[in-house]
Amino acid sequence: MRRTLATLAIAGLTFGVVADAGADGTSATITGSVGENVSTTDGYDGRHLRYVGDPAPAGYADFYQHGEHVLTTSPEDGPVTMAGTLDVSGMSSNGQVAVIGLHDADALKAGDRGDKAEVGIYVNHRLKAGVTTYRVGVTDGDAGGGEFVQRFTDFTAAELAATDHVLDVALVVDGTADPATCADDPADVATADGCMTLTVNGRTLSDSYGTIVPTDIVIDTELGNGAHPGWYSAYDSGTQLVGVDFDLAVSPIVVNAPQTADDCKKGGYEAYGFRNQGQCVSSVRANARSGK
């Protein structure tokens, strides 16, 4: 199916998405809660990363079903951004961790779960000697279980009280940037693909990304064929949620547009985010008239 950049209005699910054409390309607004649990057709009732779409796109495992399909362009073609807010007011237990960011499309399509192999924003609730802090940083994960959060900054509960525990965040993942200018560890430069930069409540952190990918999948360039935005929860409190709600604009994205009216039939319109078959067919006709 041909991929086109287009404007698309999508009905929000629990993981809501609305796509709009912005000045720098098409964007999608994603909303939801880290740790949400949805029963799936494979019988697994745990917290897989749920962001690729429902139903899952062709070639993807069934358990990637939560919300609409969102695929970013490759950071190798220019910066990809995630910007908006993280509400951490629901975090209440020491050790809770939430990560939300970009997950390699090739790895997910190959069946990898993608946890600890993302490029994203890390949030850790910490309680020590009666003092609560929130550690916020950048991570490119570690499928092998080692390095997780890289560069970070700490906020006290008192500091975040002034903003009702809402973090204003902007993550920029840029595969065209020289990793030598941002790497926390010089040893990472040789295998890094670019830089990730996070601005959170006015503080800025940068590090390289691309040194860590799923251990059983060969990927020459991490995020090289785009990424799916989503979350990872690294703490099991016995409940489904870890207390982080997100509202983020992701840009630029690739929208899979239907090419013929047949693509819209037999429920096919749902895969493109349309509310009904007629809306999908109208889109096909409009694109044909505009030459897309």
Side-chain angles (χ1 to χ4, degrees):
M1 181 179 298
R2 178 170 59 91
R3 288 175 178 163
T4 61
L5 285 176
T7 301
L8 179 64
I10 303 176
L13 303 179
T14 309
F15 182 102
V17 178
V18 177
D20 299 291
D24 297 324
T26 303
S27 66
T29 299
I30 59 173
T31 60
S33 299
V34 174
E36 285 178 316
N37 195 351
V38 180
S39 297
T40 62
T41 56
D42 68 350
Y44 182 81
D45 199 34
R47 293 177 294 183
H48 281 299
L49 305 171
R50 304 178 188 279
Y51 42 78
V52 179
D54 188 1
Y60 288 76
D62 287 337
F63 46 69
Y64 300 117
Q65 296 185 11
H66 197 35
E68 302 292 347
H69 304 174
V70 178
L71 176 66
T72 74
T73 59
S74 170
E76 296 298 301
D77 297 328
V80 174
T81 65
M82 298 181 72
T85 60
L86 300 180
D87 184 340
V88 300
S89 60
M91 296 187 99
S92 58
S93 299
N94 181 44
Q96 286 179 317
V97 171
V99 176
I100 180 166
L102 303 176
H103 301 257
D104 188 275
D106 288 339
L108 295 182
K109 194 166 185 178
D112 191 272
R113 282 181 54 181
D115 57 342
K116 297 187 181 179
E118 67 294 309
V119 176
I121 306 167
Y122 168 103
V123 183
N124 176 209
H125 181 279
R126 303 164 65 86
L127 178 61
K128 185 175 182 179
V131 177
T132 297
T133 59
Y134 300 83
R135 178 156 292 178
V136 186
V138 287
T139 179
D140 67 351
D142 185 356
E147 179 187 47
F148 196 58
V149 64
Q150 290 159 243
R151 285 182 169 162
F152 58 84
T153 185
D154 290 338
F155 295 92
T156 66
E159 286 177 299
L160 293 187
T163 61
D164 294 327
H165 290 79
V166 173
L167 300 170
D168 287 315
V169 298
L171 176 70
V172 179
V173 182
D174 188 356
T176 68
D178 182 356
T181 65
C182 62
D184 178 52
D185 184 349
D188 289 340
V189 173
T191 54
D193 293 317
C195 295
M196 52 182 175
T197 301
L198 171 67
T199 301
V200 50
N201 285 15
R203 306 178 189 179
T204 300
L205 311 163
S206 294
D207 204 349
S208 62
Y209 78 91
T211 59
I212 301 170
V213 295
T215 55
D216 56 345
I217 299 171
V218 177
I219 301 173
D220 292 332
T221 302
E222 192 167 8
L223 313 182
N225 285 318
H228 294 288
W231 53 259
Y232 166 70
S233 172
Y235 177 85
D236 185 359
S237 63
T239 63
Q240 296 177 353
L241 306 178
V242 296
V244 177
D245 296 330
F246 54 88
D247 185 352
L248 300 166
V250 184
S251 179
I253 66 168
V254 176
V255 177
N256 287 328
Q259 301 303 301
T260 69
D262 287 341
D263 291 337
C264 303
K265 297 178 180 179
K266 298 181 180 180
Y269 63 87
E270 295 178 342
Y272 304 104
F274 293 103
R275 294 182 177 86
N276 54 56
Q277 181 173 313
Q279 189 182 65
C280 179
V281 172
S282 295
S283 173
V284 172
R285 292 171 178 166
N287 283 341
R289 287 193 297 270
S290 64
K292 293 181 180 180

